[in-house]
Amino acid sequence: MTIQSEQLHWELARPNEKDAAFVLNWRNDPITREMSFHSELRTWEEFYPTYLSRYFAMQDLPPLFVMYKGERVAFIFFEYCNHPINAKRRCCLLSINIPPESRSKGLGSLILKEVQSVVRERGYDTLLAEVKLENVASIKAFQNAGFILLSEEEKFSSTVSLFGVELTPNIVFPESVYIIAEAGSNWRLGNPKRDMAMAKALIDAAVEAQVDAVKFQVYRPETIYVPNAGSSDYLQEAGIQEDITDIFKDLAMPYEMIAELADYCNKCRVDFLATSFSVADFEQIDPYVKLHKIASYEIGHPRLIEKAAASGKPLLLSTGAATEGEIAWAVDYFYSLGGSQLILLQCTAAYPTPNESLHLAAIPWLKERFRVQAGLSDHSRDPLLAPVAATALGGVVIEKHFTLHNAIPGPDHFFAVTPDELKNMVAAVRSTYKMLGKRVKAIDPLENELQHYAKRGVQAIRPIAKGEPLQEGLNVDFLRPGKQKQGMPPRFLKDYEGKRLNKAISLGSGIQPEDLTNE
């Protein structure tokens, strides 16, 4: 019997007793319990509160019943977790239960394949699952669904295998924000010898600032503007009166510079990047870069997107002056051509960009709306504010124009940051990234001592004899234990108050559920 994916359907589990009873019945199946980390028979009284709290903890990924031919054939729920390798990737843990009557039909692998798109559509990068080593059938199902073994460890008195599948491209950047020093056209001084010296001086300054990449712009005036485009108002306001075509003609990088600059970057151990503005530019750049950049005003250029997709390399795509529809077209077109690694850059195409026009809140919106990584192409003059804020908002790439001096003639020098400012920016971004930590709230190792010393528990306020009932205010209270044994969290006292102790407890010691009888 072959089961097709279109025959499977999802049904949202509901936080009510009827659906909970379904799950409990399946969970208490002997084989299920044997393959579970906790093999004890669960009672309704303890299971139902757990079902309501733990199983529905993720609002964006509620638990699901899997439907086949109108019948429930599996139950899935999700939990927040941290990625075992890359703390910045959004990750969740899946648990699946298939009842006895639905096993051995090939459903497991198919369900695990199909659920990946559900999780990806909710904005998650990675899906994980924990499986007992002896659960051979589940391990096979996960492997057939594309999950790979990540680690094994002793947990819950068993050997636990951690399996994972990456749902979005895991673009290989340093374990930090990828910082691009945008040299643009600021290498141009007037003659080939001085131009090359200036370009290398910019690379030296960027390396000193410890950026990840130095990026130039490569174009030909005849492939950008119409011949009679005229002059730019924003450049005139900056004191540059020339016709835009003449400006681009003067700033066009000779193709023969590309290889030498790429070689110099390689020797300096910094990535060489360049933005292309035509197919010819792209073909000249492609052999020397590990990723491509398409500028904001080229977002609708189908030939550039085609070349980027065909290259197989990651693509940075700026979104300045672009509508949601224009971005959606570019993203869809890139993916339809086989492109697989895309990062969108929030950008405001104004030079310089005032702070109130940066719209940094669009960074998480871009990530959520288009299910990609996002970053910032920053044209503001301040060297710190926007890059730090973009990092805090989850940006993985920061691009910033820089120059050796703001007074050098040219269209991009006056709003660019200087070498010292670039260095300070890199340090601030790196520090901000470290401060972000893990995506999911967890106890930091630095908190361990005070967690046990100062976190309140159910503690004995006097010596308690064996057989004495537990009573708040009479023999126990919610206190910080200090060096004494820490008791159970105060929230659990309501479940155990009135039960009798099965041993004597000394003053100050913490009470645990196992210290109490079930009578």
Side-chain angles (χ1 to χ4, degrees):
M1 179 182 66
T2 302
I3 300 173
Q4 302 297 324
S5 61
E6 60 267 19
Q7 295 174 313
L8 296 178
H9 304 282
W10 312 107
E11 177 191 353
L12 288 176
R14 296 162 297 178
N16 61 26
E17 293 187 3
K18 184 177 179 181
D19 283 0
F22 244 99
V23 177
L24 178 60
N25 182 53
W26 289 354
R27 194 264 172 223
N28 277 339
D29 167 68
I31 296 178
T32 300
R33 287 193 290 112
E34 183 182 349
M35 294 302 158
S36 299
F37 300 121
H38 304 288
S39 59
E40 71 279 1
L41 197 68
R42 300 292 296 273
T43 65
W44 175 259
E45 289 73 21
E46 63 173 332
F47 175 77
Y48 188 51
T50 300
Y51 175 80
L52 295 177
S53 58
R54 181 184 173 193
Y55 290 23
F56 288 86
M58 294 186 67
Q59 294 183 357
D60 55 349
L61 274 174
L64 301 168
F65 285 110
V66 184
M67 308 295 292
Y68 174 64
K69 293 184 176 180
E71 300 291 332
R72 292 174 172 177
V73 295
F75 174 75
I76 298 174
F77 78 94
F78 308 90
E79 295 180 279
Y80 293 112
C81 67
N82 286 307
H83 195 285
I85 300 172
N86 186 344
K88 304 311 169 193
R89 286 179 68 76
R90 198 177 183 208
C91 187
C92 66
L93 187 73
L94 169 148
S95 295
I96 181 170
N97 182 249
I98 299 177
E101 60 271 18
S102 299
R103 295 174 190 154
S104 303
K105 296 181 179 179
L107 282 166
S109 297
L110 185 59
I111 292 169
L112 292 171
K113 288 178 183 177
E114 292 299 306
V115 78
Q116 293 175 34
S117 62
V118 175
V119 177
R120 182 172 56 250
E121 288 168 3
R122 299 303 191 278
Y124 287 84
D125 302 305
T126 307
L127 183 59
L128 301 178
E130 293 180 328
V131 188
K132 287 177 72 171
L133 185 62
E134 55 266 39
N135 192 350
V136 177
S138 289
I139 289 175
K140 184 177 180 181
F142 278 104
Q143 290 175 331
N144 289 341
F147 287 72
I148 62 172
L149 179 65
L150 301 177
S151 65
E152 289 184 349
E153 63 173 312
E154 292 300 316
K155 189 176 180 182
F156 310 120
S157 302
S158 302
T159 301
V160 176
S161 301
L162 180 67
F163 287 88
V165 61
E166 300 297 341
L167 306 175
T168 63
N170 189 8
I171 298 175
V172 181
F173 284 147
E175 181 54 26
S176 184
V177 174
Y178 191 74
I179 300 177
I180 302 170
E182 170 66 272
S185 59
N186 288 346
W187 53 273
R188 181 74 169 123
L189 281 186
N191 65 62
K193 185 176 180 179
R194 295 178 66 191
D195 291 345
M196 183 59 73
M198 181 61 162
K200 291 182 177 180
L202 285 165
I203 294 170
D204 291 339
V207 170
E208 176 68 21
Q210 299 185 19
V211 303
D212 297 297
V214 182
K215 189 172 75 65
F216 295 87
Q217 295 177 9
V218 177
Y219 46 74
R220 293 293 171 269
E222 61 272 15
T223 62
I224 298 184
Y225 283 102
V226 295
N228 55 348
S231 58
S232 164
D233 291 343
Y234 100 86
L235 288 177
Q236 285 187 338
E237 292 174 3
I240 300 172
Q241 305 298 323
E242 292 97 329
D243 185 274
I244 193 67
T245 301
D246 293 334
I247 291 173
F248 271 73
K249 187 180 298 183
D250 178 62
L251 298 178
M253 176 178 282
Y255 286 160
E256 54 266 25
M257 285 184 67
I258 296 172
E260 186 171 347
L261 291 178
D263 182 63
Y264 190 74
C265 283
N266 185 52
K267 290 176 180 177
C268 294
R269 298 193 176 185
V270 69
D271 291 342
F272 169 80
L273 299 179
T275 303
S276 57
F277 292 78
S278 72
V279 169
D281 301 334
F282 188 101
E283 291 172 345
Q284 292 291 324
I285 291 167
D286 187 52
Y288 303 100
V289 297
K290 73 175 188 180
L291 59 92
H292 283 285
K293 166 71 188 295
I294 293 180
S296 292
Y297 291 129
E298 314 307 317
I299 196 169
H301 196 317
R303 304 298 170 256
L304 282 178
I305 294 175
E306 289 163 7
K307 295 295 289 186
S311 75
K313 298 175 182 178
L315 172 63
L316 306 178
L317 181 60
S318 278
T319 60
T323 65
E324 179 180 356
E326 289 171 327
I327 300 169
W329 174 83
V331 171
D332 291 343
Y333 194 50
F334 177 73
Y335 284 137
S336 73
L337 296 169
S340 61
Q341 301 185 73
L342 176 65
I343 296 177
L344 295 177
L345 301 183
Q346 164 57 13
C347 175
T348 302
Y351 313 89
T353 303
N355 288 347
E356 62 272 18
S357 297
L358 287 166
H359 306 297
L360 299 184
I363 293 173
W365 178 83
L366 287 169
K367 295 173 69 173
E368 177 68 21
R369 168 65 178 83
F370 297 104
R371 306 302 184 194
V372 296
Q373 295 281 23
L376 175 68
S377 179
D378 179 24
H379 299 139
S380 67
R381 181 58 187 83
D382 191 285
L384 301 180
L385 289 178
V388 166
T391 302
L393 287 166
V396 298
V397 174
I398 303 294
E399 178 182 88
K400 188 81 167 176
H401 282 260
F402 80 112
T403 179
L404 297 187
H405 198 285
N406 295 123
I408 298 175
D412 291 345
H413 290 282
F414 70 96
F415 68 89
V417 297
T418 60
D420 284 343
E421 291 174 325
L422 181 65
K423 185 183 296 186
N424 292 336
M425 184 199 87
V426 172
V429 167
R430 301 287 188 232
S431 295
T432 302
Y433 182 87
K434 289 180 181 178
M435 292 177 192
L436 293 179
K438 297 180 178 179
R439 291 190 61 94
V440 177
K441 173 63 180 173
I443 296 172
D444 188 275
L446 291 175
E447 298 178 295
N448 285 341
E449 187 216 342
L450 287 178
Q451 176 201 3
H452 296 289
Y453 187 89
K455 203 168 189 177
R456 291 180 186 262
V458 177
Q459 311 294 134
I461 58 177
R462 62 171 174 79
I464 309 174
K466 179 180 178 180
E468 187 176 341
L470 205 64
Q471 292 182 286
E472 180 185 355
L474 295 180
N475 54 17
V476 294
D477 211 334
F478 309 142
L479 297 172
R480 298 183 180 190
K483 295 291 187 180
Q484 301 300 316
K485 176 184 176 182
Q486 188 177 45
M488 68 177 116
R491 68 181 184 274
F492 294 132
L493 180 62
K494 60 182 175 53
D495 299 322
Y496 296 100
E497 191 167 21
K499 292 188 176 182
R500 298 182 182 277
L501 289 153
N502 57 30
K503 65 180 182 179
I505 301 293
S506 60
L507 169 66
S509 187
I511 312 297
Q512 298 296 335
E514 56 265 27
D515 299 332
L516 302 162
T517 65
N518 292 321
E519 300 174 1

